[in-house]
Amino acid sequence: MKKLLTTAALSMALAAPAAYADGHANSVKLQLQWVTQAQFAGYYVAKDKGFYEEEGLDVTVLAGGPDIAPPQVLAGGGADVMLNWMPSALAAREKGLPVVNIAQPFKTSGLMLTCWKDTGIKSPQDFKGKTIGVWFFGNEYPFLSWMSQEGIPTDGGPDGVTVLKQGFNVDPLLQRQADCISTMTYNEFGQVLDAGVSEDELVTFKYEDQGVATLEDGIYALEDNLKDPAFKDKMVRFVRASMKGWKYAEENPDEAAEIVLENDESGAQTEAHQKRMMGEIAKLTAGSNGALDEADFNRTVATLLAGGSDPVISKEPVGAWTSEITDEALK
C-alpha cells in the first residue's frame, strides 16, 4: 500500500517546531483536496460573502490536484488547515503525522461503485472475477476494507477482484476496461450519464448503504498547533464562518455554484456540472452543523480496522479528533 508520506516529508514534519503556515493571528491557508469545484463550495461562499471577513480572518483557499497530497502540505507548513478523507488522515496520523479532525461539515459519504448492469452484478458477492476501478492516494482504503468484510481477495483470480488503479475520470467504465468504477454521487456519476449512458444500464453501490462509509471532507489541523491558544481561536472563527458558508450554499445552491465558477482559475468547470454537483453536495452536508458525530467516527474506525491482512490502521486512534473547536464555534 502506498505510503501516504515519504519518510523525508515525515521526518521534516516531525522535526519542525509548532509553527504554522503564517504566524499572523488572522490569516488562514486552507488546502483543498481536489481542484476548485462545488465539493468545496462552503469555503468559497464564506470568502465571497464576507463571512471570514466578519470573523476578522484573511483566508487563502489553495486548490488541490492529482499531484497534491494535503497531509504533506500540512506537514510542510504550506497550510494551516486541510480537507481530507478520514481514512487518509488516520493513516497519516498512525504513520507519525499528528493531524486532528477539528470539524466535520460532511455528514454523509458520496462514494459509490458504478457498474454495468449487463455484467450480471447484483450484489457485492458478484464482484468476484470482475475488474473494479479504484482511486488510490488514500481513497482506496474504504474499498479494501469493504472487500475484506465481504471475504473477497483483491489480487485478482476467479474468486477475487482485479483492482484497476483508476485515474480521475470515468474512461475505464466507458471503454469497458472495468466492470465497475469508483464514482462520487456529485461528480463522476454525472460524467457517466453525460457520456450518454442511461441510469437503467447501471447498478450502483453506495458505501453509505453498504455500512462501510467512512467520513469524507473533514477539516484537519496539526495537533501541536492546536496547543497554541491564538491558533485555536483562529480555528474557532474559521470553522464558524465556514459552516455559515456551507449552510448558505445548501440554501442557495445555484448561487453557490456560480461563486465556485468565479473562483475556478482553470476555467475547466461548467455551470451545468457545478450546479448539479452543488445539488448533490448539499445532500451530504445537510445533516451536519460542523460537529463530528462520535458514532460516525467509530464506524469509520471499525471499517478501517476491518481491512484484513492489509489494514489501513492497525490500532484504535487516540486523540484523532477534538470537539473543542466546534463546541466553541457553534455556541
Side-chain angles (χ1 to χ4, degrees):
M1 187 171 288
K2 179 178 174 296
K3 287 272 189 295
L4 276 176
L5 290 158
T6 61
T7 319
L10 191 55
S11 53
M12 185 182 81
L14 297 176
Y20 32 92
D22 184 337
H24 190 255
N26 292 310
S27 84
V28 178
K29 285 189 173 136
L30 166 67
Q31 177 63 60
L32 304 183
Q33 52 182 356
W34 195 240
V35 297
T36 301
Q37 57 182 14
Q39 177 183 358
F40 312 116
Y43 310 102
Y44 288 113
V45 167
K47 195 168 159 74
D48 187 81
K49 288 286 168 191
F51 300 157
Y52 289 134
E53 213 176 328
E54 283 166 17
E55 294 284 357
L57 294 174
D58 173 21
V59 174
T60 306
V61 181
L62 304 167
D67 305 320
I68 296 171
Q72 292 188 6
V73 176
L74 203 61
D80 300 296
V81 65
M82 70 166 178
L83 303 181
N84 215 221
W85 284 11
M86 190 168 272
S88 161
L90 292 180
R93 186 176 173 85
E94 187 167 292
K95 291 190 175 82
L97 180 67
V99 296
V100 179
N101 179 301
I102 59 167
Q104 186 58 47
F106 279 48
K107 172 72 177 169
T108 313
S109 160
L111 182 59
M112 61 180 186
L113 287 184
T114 295
C115 309
W116 285 114
K117 192 178 270 182
D118 63 18
T119 57
I121 292 172
K122 291 190 178 72
S123 78
Q125 283 300 316
D126 300 326
F127 294 158
K128 290 175 181 170
K130 301 289 194 288
T131 297
I132 299 187
V134 178
W135 292 314
F136 278 71
F137 298 111
N139 299 352
E140 72 273 30
Y141 300 141
F143 175 77
L144 296 174
S145 295
W146 178 20
M147 291 304 101
S148 174
Q149 290 182 39
E150 291 283 346
I152 301 174
T154 51
D155 48 6
D159 295 321
V161 297
T162 298
V163 175
L164 175 81
K165 201 167 177 178
Q166 186 181 331
F168 289 91
N169 61 45
V170 298
D171 296 351
L173 189 76
L174 300 177
Q175 295 163 6
R176 293 203 176 247
Q177 297 160 322
D179 301 293
C180 307
I181 58 166
S182 300
T183 57
M184 301 309 292
T185 54
Y186 51 80
N187 195 0
E188 293 76 13
F189 185 67
Q191 292 173 22
V192 174
L193 302 181
D194 287 346
V197 178
S198 89
E199 286 200 40
D200 28 336
E201 293 176 85
L202 302 168
V203 181
T204 59
F205 298 89
K206 286 188 182 175
Y207 280 56
E208 197 72 45
D209 299 340
Q210 299 298 320
V212 291
T214 52
L215 286 167
E216 293 162 12
D217 292 68
I219 304 178
Y220 293 83
L222 291 174
E223 198 168 294
D224 278 355
N225 291 346
L226 291 168
K227 292 174 186 159
D228 172 356
F231 182 86
K232 216 164 150 182
D233 169 67
K234 193 159 78 163
M235 290 298 104
V236 168
R237 290 181 285 144
F238 174 74
V239 167
R240 187 160 51 219
S242 297
M243 289 315 299
K244 198 172 168 184
W246 273 119
K247 296 306 135 183
Y248 187 94
E250 280 171 31
E251 285 159 26
N252 306 278
D254 285 355
E255 184 190 347
E258 280 157 22
I259 290 170
V260 168
L261 285 165
E262 283 161 24
N263 284 278
D264 173 31
E265 288 170 14
S266 74
Q269 307 295 3
T270 65
E271 186 175 356
H273 187 46
Q274 290 310 302
K275 286 185 172 175
R276 177 169 66 195
M277 186 184 291
M278 188 59 234
E280 291 296 331
I281 287 287
K283 297 174 190 172
L284 307 183
T285 56
S288 176
N289 63 358
L292 180 144
D293 179 337
E294 194 166 1
D296 296 341
F297 174 81
N298 292 338
R299 183 197 62 211
T300 296
V301 169
T303 296
L304 299 180
L305 285 171
S309 59
D310 196 7
V312 178
I313 48 175
S314 60
K315 54 186 183 291
E316 293 259 349
V318 177
W321 66 280
T322 177
S323 63
E324 286 182 15
I325 304 297
T326 47
D327 287 349
E328 188 65 32
L330 304 171
K331 270 182 183 170

